[in-house]
Amino acid sequence: MSVAVAVTDSPEGRFALEAAVAEAQNLGTGLLLINLTLHDFTEDEIPSGLEVTVINRSGRGDRDPVTAVVDELGDHSEVDRLVLGVRARSRVGKMILGSVAQRLILRSPVPVLTVRRDATGR
């Protein structure tokens, strides 16, 4: 059993990482950190006290983020849930930019735990 998290360059991505760490600690399991940011994680950004596997992308040209996450979930059969950070978007925003989170929720081969920051940023 393991928890996966898709981390983006956004407050929601960082909040998802915090929630995934808490979930993995609660379950006493490892963490698969799928890095969707445009930089590699530094050692101080990787949570300590857990068995963490980091999957880095090689930049913007490295597959669609949804495909990347779904592929990694397929390659890691030990993962039994995916943690995603979400935020409210307008209809126009969804239409123009799409929603990686929505596409992942619909395509994920494992259950998805979505986390949302409240108005106070928690």
Side-chain angles (χ1 to χ4, degrees):
M1 177 167 52
S2 187
V3 174
V5 60
V7 181
T8 59
D9 273 323
S10 69
E12 293 78 21
R14 295 299 170 174
F15 190 67
L17 178 56
E18 292 173 20
V21 167
E23 185 78 359
Q25 288 172 335
N26 208 21
L27 296 170
T29 188
L31 180 67
L32 177 67
L33 193 159
I34 305 170
N35 182 4
L36 299 179
T37 70
L38 296 178
H39 72 281
D40 287 348
F41 273 78
T42 61
E43 216 169 283
D44 61 318
E45 291 177 295
I46 298 172
S48 60
L50 287 174
E51 179 183 328
V52 179
T53 302
V54 179
I55 306 294
N56 286 306
R57 296 176 69 213
S58 60
R60 288 187 194 275
D62 181 11
R63 300 175 291 174
D64 169 63
V66 174
T67 302
V69 172
V70 171
D71 287 351
E72 293 302 334
L73 292 174
D75 291 345
H76 292 85
S77 60
E78 75 278 7
V79 172
D80 68 344
R81 72 191 65 191
L82 171 65
V83 179
L84 293 177
V86 296
R87 65 183 167 103
R89 297 183 74 175
S90 69
R91 288 182 186 169
V92 173
K94 283 188 223 175
M95 184 176 65
I96 293 172
L97 300 174
S99 171
V100 170
Q102 181 178 357
R103 290 172 45 214
L104 277 170
I105 291 166
L106 295 172
R107 290 190 51 200
S108 175
V110 297
V112 179
L113 171 63
T114 59
V115 293
R116 176 181 65 86
R117 295 165 39 117
D118 64 19
T120 66
R122 295 184 283 160

